Amino acid sequence: MATNTHHSALATTYAQALLELAGERAGEIGEQFADVRQVLADNPTFAMFMADPGIGHAERSQALERIFKGKIDPLLWNFVGLINSKGRAGSLIEIADAYRDLVEAKLGKVEVDLTVATPISNEQLASAQQKISEALGKEAVVHTYVDESIIGGAIVRVQDKLIDGSVREQLRAMKQKMLAKMPR
């Protein structure tokens, strides 16, 4: 799932502080923070380096400076530096996730995972996004996934709620009903 709505208090507190500082630029800062997060996610060795308590603040600062300084907004650069100085660099991914969720909530957006059996067209995606947005009363940011094992239909996940409308699930439910009615 793209979104985890159960962040630690630490991640949420830092994310809220950044959101307040970002003000009207919250979306722009969020895009850059997502890029920082992606660098950490794509480079697990670097992420482990950032989280290692045996690595000194100065060493982590040098690495962060080489990678991000001058490439991200000064506000975000100072924020990442603060996180590092507090010994929380290992929490950057979770803080970035919490920030993304806060920005989306502020903008009235919700992340939705849509799993289908076969790839869908842009028109089908737009239609699904519109219907999901209407049902939720928020703008749905839909991420599609293909899983042939569901046979047909779709599985929709919104935060911690799952709606399984797949053919696989319908067949499983029918099997359960038939087995329940069989004499023993």
Side-chain angles (χ1 to χ4, degrees), residues 20 31 38 54 61 79 83 87 108 183:
E20 288 176 23
E31 290 172 13
Q38 197 61 48
S61 292
F79 179 79
I83 298 298

Side-chain angles (χ1 to χ4, degrees), residues 50-170:
M50 296 307 292
D52 188 340
I55 307 291
H57 163 72
E59 288 179 85
R60 280 194 306 271
S61 292
Q62 289 173 352
L64 287 168
E65 190 168 323
R66 281 193 305 271
I67 296 169
F68 298 116
K69 189 164 186 184
K71 297 176 184 155
I72 58 176
D73 187 278
L75 172 64
L76 183 57
W77 167 247
N78 289 334
F79 179 79
V80 169
L82 171 72
I83 298 298
N84 181 43
S85 71
K86 298 291 185 183
R88 305 292 189 188
S91 299
L92 276 169
I93 288 177
E94 185 183 8
I95 295 168
D97 289 345
Y99 184 83
R100 178 202 60 226
D101 290 350
L102 290 172
V103 169
E104 288 176 352
K106 180 180 177 178
L107 299 175
K109 295 181 181 181
V110 64
E111 298 262 340
V112 176
D113 288 344
L114 175 65
T115 304
V116 293
T118 59
I120 61 175
S121 69
N122 289 337
E123 294 81 22
Q124 290 170 316
L125 175 60
S127 175
Q129 184 173 9
Q130 180 183 0
K131 288 176 184 175
I132 293 169
S133 294
E134 288 171 3
L136 298 174
K138 295 182 176 183
E139 181 183 344
V141 179
V142 179
H143 305 278
T144 57
Y145 303 93
V146 176
D147 179 358
E148 294 175 356
S149 73
I150 71 169
I151 305 169
I155 300 172
V156 179
R157 181 182 301 272
V158 181
Q159 296 171 338
D160 60 348
K161 294 178 181 69
L162 178 74
I163 302 164
D164 192 339
S166 67
V167 172
R168 177 183 65 195
E169 177 59 22
Q170 292 171 12

